[in-house]
Amino acid sequence: MPLEAIAKRILEEAKKKRDSLLSEAEQEKARIIGEAKERANRIKEEAKKQANEIADEIKKEYLAELEVERHNAILTAHERVAEKEFSEVSKEMFNELTNNYKKILDSALNRLKEEGVNVKISAEKSFAPLLKKLGYTFEECSKGVFALSNDGKISIDISPEKLIENEKEHAKSMIINELFKTNTEKKADNKKAKKSKKK
């Protein structure tokens, strides 16, 4: 075989190999680019998903904070109304207490007598007319009305203001419940009323 033919054959084989390698390289490049695009898309989707999750979490936290603020504002409004209403109710309570003061005094004095002690009443000057009217003797003190043992070791504060103060939170709670029944409670009350009408 002449030298020129051998060189031509070797050159053709080299070209075929080159073309095959180039084709493989192109395929490998296309595969790598395809995988990279898929990975990039997955990363992008994951990032989008995470961003949405974070956004949802922030939104939930924000809404929760808003709900807490709204709830606190409602409670504050209820408290203000209850405080105002209580100042009116407390006047009625004071009148009711003073109208039934003999029972209150006797109850406190009897509790102390059950302890086996001698008892007395100590009261501020403003209560003198009421106590005299009810037939009690008493010692004067600077503030309040007390049923106490003669030695002063045991005492019960029975001044109307103190008795009202002791009931203040309970009374305010009742006022709030009465004035601000929830819609659910109102609906339940309406359903009960309708059922009783049907019967």
Side-chain angles (χ1 to χ4, degrees):
M1 186 180 259
L3 193 60
E4 194 178 313
I6 293 168
K8 193 177 177 184
R9 185 178 55 78
I10 290 169
L11 195 60
E12 280 174 9
E13 283 175 8
K15 277 182 184 177
K16 281 179 189 173
K17 242 182 215 176
R18 183 202 65 193
D19 290 347
S20 173
L21 288 171
L22 282 173
S23 174
E24 282 176 25
E26 281 299 318
Q27 286 172 5
E28 186 63 14
K29 182 174 131 185
R31 186 184 65 76
I32 290 167
I33 289 169
E35 283 179 6
K37 278 182 181 175
E38 277 180 34
R39 202 175 300 127
N41 285 337
R42 281 200 304 271
I43 290 167
K44 195 159 61 170
E45 286 302 312
E46 190 60 34
K48 194 190 286 184
K49 186 181 167 190
Q50 284 180 354
N52 285 337
E53 284 172 3
I54 291 166
D56 286 346
E57 201 57 40
I58 290 168
K59 186 179 171 184
K60 278 178 196 169
E61 284 173 20
Y62 179 69
L63 290 173
E65 283 174 22
L66 275 181
E67 184 56 31
V68 167
E69 284 176 25
R70 187 185 73 80
H71 182 68
N72 288 342
I74 288 169
L75 288 180
T76 303
H78 287 184
E79 183 66 24
R80 282 187 190 145
V81 171
E83 193 68 43
K84 187 180 174 192
E85 289 296 317
F86 180 76
S87 65
E88 294 301 315
V89 170
S90 63
K91 292 169 192 169
E92 291 173 36
M93 287 172 79
F94 186 88
N95 292 335
E96 194 63 32
L97 281 171
T98 51
N99 289 339
N100 295 287
Y101 211 54
K102 183 165 176 47
K103 284 181 189 174
I104 294 164
L105 278 164
D106 287 345
S107 173
L109 292 169
N110 288 333
R111 270 196 288 166
L112 288 174
K113 283 175 187 173
E114 284 169 12
E115 297 289 326
V117 295
N118 293 321
V119 295
K120 61 183 179 180
I121 297 170
S122 177
E124 65 181 86
K125 205 172 186 177
S126 64
F127 286 100
L130 175 63
L131 293 171
K132 283 177 184 171
K133 181 182 165 188
L134 295 173
Y136 292 99
T137 56
F138 61 94
E139 291 177 359
E140 203 172 293
C141 69
S142 60
K143 190 159 180 64
V145 181
F146 297 88
L148 64 164
S149 59
N150 282 340
D151 61 9
K153 287 183 180 175
I154 307 171
S155 72
I156 302 171
D157 187 344
I158 49 171
S159 55
E161 291 87 355
K162 179 67 177 173
L163 296 173
I164 290 167
E165 186 61 33
N166 291 344
E167 291 299 314
K168 183 176 184 177
E169 291 310 311
H170 177 65
K172 279 167 60 178
S173 175
M174 286 172 67
I175 289 165
I176 288 169
N177 286 340
E178 195 54 41
L179 294 179
F180 304 106
K181 278 186 177 178
T182 61
N183 288 337
T184 312
E185 286 172 329
K186 284 178 182 173
K187 284 175 187 173
D189 288 349
N190 289 341
K191 280 181 184 176
K192 283 179 189 174
K194 284 176 185 175
K195 279 182 184 177
S196 61
K197 280 180 185 176
K198 283 178 184 177
K199 289 176 184 177

